[in-house]
Amino acid sequence: MKRMGQPDPGFNLPALFGRGFDVARDAARDFARDFAKDLKKDFGREGATPMFGTEPGAFPFLRPQHAAPGARPAMPAPQKLVTDFRAYSGLRHRDAVPTAPESIVLGRLGALEVRLARTARDVRRAQRLRYKVFYEEMSATPDATTRLARRDMDSFDTICDHILVLDHDAGKIVLGRRKPKVVGTYRLLRQEVANRHGGFYTQGEFDVGGVIAAHPTLRFLELGRSCVLKPYRNKRTVELLWHGVWTYILRNKIDAMFGCASLEGTDPAELDLPLSFLHHNAMAPEEWRARAVEGRHVSMNRIAKADIDMKKALQALPPLIKGYLRLGGFVGDGAVVDHQFGTTDVLIILPVSVISPRYVEHFGPTANRHAI
């Protein structure tokens, strides 16, 4: 007989709030593996009638995953289930969890702080902000899971670092203490982590493999899912967000960045002006030029260079793309329509070596402008 208060080995309460996340992860993985084995047996028996039916959509997480051209290979169903569970919960692979406490905070500007996500809760807060901007404010179309959770999430959340901008003067009071409000975020994926986990998000739209292979000694970083809450879209917040990215680049010895940047709308004909401006004025040199994947490539050469109204073209570009161009960034060959997010995407390539010296001086060669 167990003594009162002795923990039951099958239910470890402290584990639910610490190591329990790893326990839950392992349990989900084992469940998925065993469940898939049982289903395979049942479905494989001659004359067997599957208990869930075989009509399309009956069991979506077991359907074959057809990757877009150039994308990383599809995951087996059990592995995908575990990855989806991690993304939903905010759990991350050990490769993406910061290990040194001193590396968490990236900068401070008044009440605003920029830092890396530390916990699963931090990741979920970033996902909620992304949902608010991409799905509620902009024109992204949520699937059932996304709508129910009210969070923008995918499998890459489990292997990425997440930069957060926090407002310490805003947020809810919980147990007498104010929880700072997440007002901006960026998602970052280092090359060495992507290599161990099947590739980059961008590979679903652009063939970046050739560019990476052409620079074998450089370290690449993928940037994505950038957004800032509407009331905070000002120079102060965006500067601090970029300060966080620059600090991260220096600490991780990054040589080049890339990622998808979006123009609102899915009809390229309505985006002739900005796309043509980018094609004629910001095309990457050959060694840095990645092409949109076959089957999704949309030409950006839609108006002759001489016919472009430069002032109107610049006004039609989103602030984020203009910011990349000011830093010295290039665009890839072709655009890609993303119907889920209601956007037309271009590839941004930004080698650290071409960043304008005045921006390096602005943030500080050692990222000391807004350092703690």
Side-chain angles (χ1 to χ4, degrees), residues 311-352:
K311 184 177 181 180
K312 288 184 178 179
L314 284 170
Q315 290 173 344
L317 286 177
L320 182 63
I321 294 181
K322 285 192 282 191
Y324 285 130
L325 297 183
R326 290 192 193 102
L327 287 170
F330 313 115
V331 298
D333 177 6
V336 172
V337 174
D338 185 338
H339 290 284
Q340 181 192 354
F341 280 86
T343 60
T344 298
D345 298 341
V346 297
L347 178 68
I348 300 291
I349 301 283
L350 180 57
V352 172

Side-chain angles (χ1 to χ4, degrees), residues 270-349:
E270 296 181 357
L271 300 169
D272 284 350
L273 186 58
L275 290 176
S276 298
F277 171 86
L278 292 172
H279 174 82
H280 292 297
N281 297 281
M283 183 67 70
E286 192 64 38
E287 64 171 323
W288 292 103
R289 190 178 306 169
R291 181 179 170 86
V293 297
E294 294 303 320
R296 303 190 71 185
H297 182 282
V298 173
S299 174
M300 298 167 64
N301 186 11
R302 313 178 73 83
I303 301 175
K305 185 174 183 179
D307 296 332
I308 294 176
D309 184 322
M310 301 293 282
K311 184 177 181 180
K312 288 184 178 179
L314 284 170
Q315 290 173 344
L317 286 177
L320 182 63
I321 294 181
K322 285 192 282 191
Y324 285 130
L325 297 183
R326 290 192 193 102
L327 287 170
F330 313 115
V331 298
D333 177 6
V336 172
V337 174
D338 185 338
H339 290 284
Q340 181 192 354
F341 280 86
T343 60
T344 298
D345 298 341
V346 297
L347 178 68
I348 300 291
I349 301 283

Side-chain angles (χ1 to χ4, degrees), residues 128-179:
R128 288 191 189 97
L129 175 62
R130 283 159 28 188
Y131 183 90
K132 189 174 187 66
V133 173
F134 299 146
Y135 292 88
E136 293 184 347
E137 180 185 341
M138 301 173 73
S139 53
T141 304
D143 57 22
T145 303
T146 302
R147 187 182 296 108
L148 181 64
R150 301 188 69 77
R151 286 188 277 127
D152 168 58
M153 53 199 171
D154 65 24
S155 62
F156 288 89
D157 284 331
T158 68
I159 59 172
C160 288
D161 278 316
H162 301 260
I163 286 181
L164 309 176
V165 176
L166 306 172
D167 184 352
H168 285 269
D169 284 348
K172 299 178 180 178
I173 303 294
V174 179
L175 299 177
R177 296 181 60 186
R178 186 179 297 279
K179 295 292 183 181

